[in-house]
Amino acid sequence: MTCAACAARLEKQLNKLPGVEATVNFAAEKAHVRFATSETAARQLIEAVRKTGFDVAPQTVELAIEGMTCAACVARIERVLNALPGVSATVNLATETARVTHTPGLTTIDDLIAAVARAGYRATLRAEAGRALEQARRAARYRQELRRFWISAALSAPLLLQMVWMAATGSHAEPLPRWLQLVLATPVQFWVGWRFYVGAYHALRGGGANMDVLVALGTSMAWGYSAAVTLLGLDHQHVYFEAGAVVITLVLLGKVLEARAKGKTSAAIESLIALTPATAHVERNGAIAPVDVASIVPGDVVVVRPGERLPVDGEVIAGTSSVDESMFSGEPIPVEKQPGSRVYAGTQNQNGMLKLVATGVGSHTQLAKIVRLVEAAQGSKAPIQRLADRIAGIFVPVVVTIAVLTFAAWWLITGSAAQALIPAVAVLVIACPCALGLATPTAVMVATGRGAQLGILPRSAAALENAGRIDVLVLDKTGTLTVGKPVVRAVLPAAGVDAGLLLRVAAGLEAASEHPLARAVLDHAQRAGIAPAEVSDFAAEPGRGIRARVDGAEAWLGAPDFVAARAGVECPCQTPGTPVAVALGGRYLGCLSVDDALRPDAPEAVARLRALGLELVMATGDQPAAAEAIARACGITDWRARLSPQDKEALIRALRAAGRRVGMAGDGINDAPALAAADVSFALASGTDIAMETADITLMRDELCALPDAIELSRAALRKIRQNLFFAFVYNVLGIPLAAVGELNPVIAGAAMALSSVSVVSNALLLRRWRPTRRC
């Protein structure tokens, strides 16, 4: 909707439906609808909205999923969720969550949960308030799994020891009576291993197959054959009770170790969340009292003592102190705070008392925003994961086919079903696709968590992956390579023009502008004691200049060529900095020389970016002289000046059309089109909100060296993903043939299967210790 008329038209169309009472709020962009379900369905409401020319904004929820065991489970849950109308779902095995975008009215949260239940799993809505409950639930489930494992290990140990003793001595005599082996193996098979039967049933009923199918089928074959031999008294035949029992025990051990390792992947996020204190000192009615942080509202005055963490976002109104903001920036140097300074929840006050007015509380703090952003990135899928997903979807049926062929081939060759059983079981057991499903998401989780600790916030897993693939990086000048706080170095009036008039008109024109140079002009006028002129009919051409009326006359401000063309005057500006020309009523008033200092770390950051093999291009709307000076100072040889926002976007598209992978770093409104056009975009935290909303990666540290850090982190994450996928693929490529030709005992296959998942997660956890190659 673009205006109140849109709201009125939509409201009218909705109210035409039978049994409907609708009110549409243009400001809130919401429609509140009461309707009789016997007369109108929710789908009809949505169709009416769309026929009127609008759409219903999708909502995103996160579901906690219980019961997933491998990548095939992920694929099945995604399939049933995405089959619902208006639903787009992504399931993450590592976090055991589903991020679901759905259209309200077409599908409810209850529908989503019911669909997951039909697929054989349990889903619950994951809310911020339930985080502690979710952690407690996971801890309780881990303890239960651990107890089951120890019971299973105790029952399986005699069977395993018997197998080791027989292998070591070469004896065929079984130390344990077969009835005792049956007694030990049966509870392991059907009590401890019941989870595999349940999972296999739900998988098959849902038209798919997963790890549970492989484990249940393989161990049941071993137990069933051995039980038949024992009960029928066929003493001349071998039994394989240890194969089924020990495999189940080892698979369970792998799951326990995997759960423990996966718990560490979100440690960075949990550490961020834990930074906000539970109580705060609030000044109310002239008295300071401790209150629950949840009860603080915007506008409350909060007192923070030395050594305490800040409970809310706010603005300092009294006191001075140093605040440790390393949780945002990754930098250990405290930031000085004084009245007027912005402060953030979770940061730590150092040596002075601060009094601040709360501006952001609860889920509206910068910390909460970072947590949501990181969790969204962790829950998303990297493009490289698509290959693993496709393979996982067909993997289990292929493995079952290989196992059947293995059994048939060995039976034909040896004439013994018992001898054919063992390699077939080994094929089923070793081929679990767990490692394949964990390879990418665990690396993404750890990398994004580590990035959050260093002030690097990717919006999605795709952004994290793409950042490491770029080969060209386009850099904005003002606010990116430079400090972004220009100052007026000189006021150069034309002959016969008073400097005060020039500054008055310039300040008036800049008063309504959001260009970085505007603040410099206004600050200079204020210091000179000159009030800005009153202007009307204001209009801006982004990246070029401003037109307005001052004292009834047409006025122009901007780049000299822009003012000369629009005002029809000559603009002889000769300045070492950026010239800002001013014309009024067809007369050239003069120009201001504005300069912006280079960031102290820009040369070092540029050198690091070059060392990463990137081609660098500086793109700016500034004049050639100013652009060349900055480019030369920081070591960039390829620079483009006098570019409008559309020109910057065109530059990005041209580079991409040439087959390059292009990154863009900027901080202003005029950079937004180019940021959106790039393969991956970066915005510094000092930039505008629109730049940070458009960018794929936000750099919370206000320094350029965060840029090479982000690219290095991306490449480190990509290396881990490739390593994990290599481990997962090679494990199966080597393991299945070895099992098929009889070179792997099912017990060894079970141990290898458990080890593969643990090794993938453990390898991803190494990213927690990642550091940039060098710091600026």
Side-chain angles (χ1 to χ4, degrees):
M1 298 186 295
T2 58
C3 67
C6 297
R9 187 168 80 254
L10 179 56
E11 190 172 289
K12 181 179 179 181
Q13 292 300 321
L14 287 172
N15 284 317
K16 284 182 178 179
L17 297 173
V20 171
E21 296 178 9
T23 56
V24 180
N25 186 317
F26 169 64
E29 297 184 341
K30 290 184 179 179
H32 184 80
V33 186
R34 291 171 57 88
F35 64 102
T37 54
S38 59
E39 298 182 69
T40 300
R43 184 184 300 274
Q44 291 175 273
L45 297 171
I46 293 170
E47 288 172 355
V49 171
R50 290 173 176 164
K51 285 179 180 177
T52 313
F54 307 102
D55 207 345
V56 178
Q59 292 181 353
T60 300
V61 297
E62 195 167 72
L63 302 177
I65 308 292
E66 291 183 34
M68 292 192 297
T69 56
C70 68
C73 300
V74 171
R76 188 164 65 259
I77 294 173
E78 284 186 349
R79 187 167 62 249
V80 299
L81 286 173
N82 287 322
L84 296 174
V87 169
S88 173
T90 301
V91 179
N92 190 310
L93 177 63
T95 58
E96 297 183 331
T97 58
R99 185 169 291 273
V100 186
T101 300
H102 68 104
T103 303
L106 289 183
T107 307
T108 66
I109 293 174
D110 289 340
D111 295 334
L112 302 176
I113 292 173
V116 174
R118 287 195 299 272
Y121 305 89
R122 183 171 180 268
T124 54
L125 183 64
R126 188 180 179 195
E128 292 291 328
R131 191 181 298 275
L133 186 63
E134 175 71 13
Q135 287 181 324
R137 183 187 64 80
R138 286 196 177 200
R141 190 175 65 182
Y142 172 77
R143 289 192 296 269
Q144 182 184 39
E145 293 284 7
L146 193 59
R147 283 195 298 271
R148 284 179 179 269
F149 163 72
W150 286 119
I151 293 171
S152 184
L155 294 171
S156 303
L159 300 173
L160 179 61
L161 291 173
Q162 173 184 263
M163 184 186 72
V164 172
W165 180 83
M166 291 173 66
T169 61
S171 172
H172 294 286
E174 299 171 0
L176 296 178
R178 289 190 173 180
W179 65 265
L180 179 58
Q181 295 181 51
L182 177 62
V183 168
L184 291 172
T186 300
V188 175
Q189 184 71 40
F190 296 106
W191 179 66
V192 177
W194 183 247
R195 56 180 288 173
F196 301 113
Y197 289 100
V198 173
Y201 167 74
H202 287 306
L204 294 172
R205 190 183 68 170
N210 63 358
M211 179 206 77
D212 295 321
V213 172
L214 298 179
V215 174
L217 185 59
T219 58
S220 295
M221 288 169 61
W223 182 91
Y225 174 83
S226 301
V229 167
T230 300
L231 295 175
L232 295 175
L234 305 177
D235 296 336
H236 61 284
Q237 297 285 359
H238 290 291
V239 292
Y240 303 100
F241 286 115
E242 78 284 345
V246 176
V247 162
I248 287 175
T249 302
L250 288 172
V251 172
L252 198 57
L253 173 62
K255 289 297 175 188
V256 168
L257 294 175
E258 182 185 303
R260 184 177 180 182
K262 284 189 334 190
K264 297 178 182 178
T265 59
S266 59
I269 293 302
E270 298 302 332
S271 66
L272 285 177
I273 294 168
L275 292 176
T276 304
T279 60
H281 297 94
V282 177
E283 184 180 281
R284 290 174 179 167
N285 301 321
I288 298 175
V291 301
D292 193 319
V293 168
S295 67
I296 299 176
V297 296
D300 277 346
V301 174
V302 180
V303 176
V304 184
R305 297 166 179 168
E308 292 182 341
R309 288 196 177 273
L310 278 71
V312 295
D313 287 3
E315 182 177 326
V316 177
I317 56 175
T320 58
S321 182
S322 298
V323 176
D324 179 2
E325 295 185 345
S326 58
M327 56 172 285
F328 288 140
S329 65
E331 293 299 315
I333 301 173
V335 180
E336 296 298 322
K337 300 294 182 181
Q338 56 192 1
S341 299
R342 295 279 302 165
V343 290
Y344 303 99
T347 58
Q348 187 161 25
N349 188 23
Q350 301 259 297
N351 49 20
M353 184 175 289
L354 293 175
K355 183 181 288 189
L356 52 107
V357 59
T359 57
V361 299
S363 61
H364 299 287
T365 63
Q366 188 77 1
L367 176 61
K369 178 182 177 182
I370 289 173
V371 169
R372 286 194 297 271
L373 189 61
V374 174
E375 286 185 330
Q378 289 183 340
S380 62
K381 282 190 177 180
I384 199 172
Q385 192 176 343
R386 292 171 189 158
L387 174 63
D389 289 346
R390 285 198 298 270
I391 292 174
I394 61 171
F395 189 74
V396 175
V398 170
V399 169
V400 172
T401 303
I402 293 173
V404 170
L405 293 174
T406 299
F407 181 80
W410 276 87
W411 196 355
L412 286 172
I413 293 170
T414 64
S416 169
Q419 198 167 345
L421 178 68
I422 294 304
V425 171
V427 168
L428 290 170
V429 170
I430 201 167
C432 169
C434 292
L436 203 59
L438 292 168
T440 301
T442 49
V444 169
M445 287 180 66
V446 181
T448 50
R450 182 63 184 133
Q453 292 176 326
L454 297 173
I456 301 166
L457 301 179
R459 188 175 298 276
S460 64
L464 181 70
E465 177 182 332
N466 291 337
R469 298 184 185 278
I470 62 172
D471 50 33
V472 178
L473 180 62
V474 179
L475 295 155
D476 173 51
K477 180 181 76 70
T478 304
T480 303
L481 289 169
T482 63
V483 176
K485 294 180 180 178
V487 294
V488 175
R489 299 296 184 188
V491 178
L492 306 171
V497 176
D498 179 64
L501 173 63
L502 169 61
L503 198 52
R504 174 175 170 271
V505 174
L509 291 169
E510 294 283 33
S513 173
E514 295 184 2
H515 193 278
L517 300 183
R519 176 49 53 190
V521 174
L522 290 168
D523 287 346
H524 191 80
Q526 185 178 15
R527 286 194 300 270
I530 294 176
E534 293 291 333
V535 303
S536 60
D537 297 334
F538 178 90
E541 292 189 27
R544 301 290 291 157
I546 296 168
R547 181 199 64 79
R549 299 194 73 81
V550 175
D551 299 330
E554 192 172 52
W556 297 88
L557 176 145
D561 57 345
F562 168 80
V563 174
R566 296 295 193 273
V569 298
E570 290 188 11
C571 299
C573 296
Q574 297 294 328
T575 71
T578 300
V580 178
V582 182
L584 176 65
R587 180 187 180 192
Y588 173 63
L589 296 185
C591 74
L592 310 176
S593 178
V594 184
D595 195 8
D596 187 9
L598 186 70
R599 285 183 181 270
D601 64 338
E604 175 69 11
V606 167
R608 286 183 57 194
L609 291 167
R610 285 193 181 284
L612 291 172
L614 298 178
E615 179 183 328
L616 303 180
V617 180
M618 187 185 81
T620 179
D622 211 341
Q623 299 302 302
E628 183 180 13
I630 292 295
R632 187 185 301 113
C634 63
I636 295 176
T637 57
D638 188 354
W639 53 270
R640 320 287 172 88
R642 290 181 177 175
L643 297 185
S644 67
Q646 293 76 16
D647 293 333
K648 290 182 181 180
E649 181 185 13
L651 171 63
I652 298 291
R653 295 194 183 280
L655 289 169
R656 292 187 64 189
R660 312 298 297 274
R661 291 194 179 98
V662 185
M664 169 70 189
D667 75 320
I669 293 174
N670 62 328
D671 296 321
L675 291 171
D679 289 299
V680 63
S681 51
F682 307 84
L684 273 65
S686 59
T688 60
D689 289 341
I690 191 170
M692 287 189 283
E693 287 297 322
T694 306
D696 298 307
I697 299 177
T698 300
L699 307 174
M700 298 304 295
R701 285 153 45 198
D702 189 19
E703 55 184 40
L704 197 60
C705 274
L707 194 49
D709 288 353
I711 294 170
E712 285 187 13
L713 174 62
S714 170
R715 292 185 179 181
L718 271 173
R719 283 195 297 272
K720 285 299 175 191
I721 291 172
R722 292 191 185 107
Q723 289 169 9
N724 284 349
L725 288 174
F726 176 79
F727 292 155
F729 282 125
V730 168
Y731 158 78
N732 284 305
V733 167
L734 295 179
I736 292 175
L738 287 174
V741 299
E743 294 297 322
L744 278 180
N745 183 282
V747 172
I748 303 300
M753 187 203 73
L755 182 63
S756 69
S757 295
V758 176
S759 64
V760 162
V761 178
S762 300
N763 186 50
L765 285 172
L766 294 176
L767 280 169
R768 294 170 67 188
R769 298 201 295 265
W770 178 85
R771 293 283 188 279
T773 53
R774 69 178 192 255
R775 301 300 294 270
C776 301

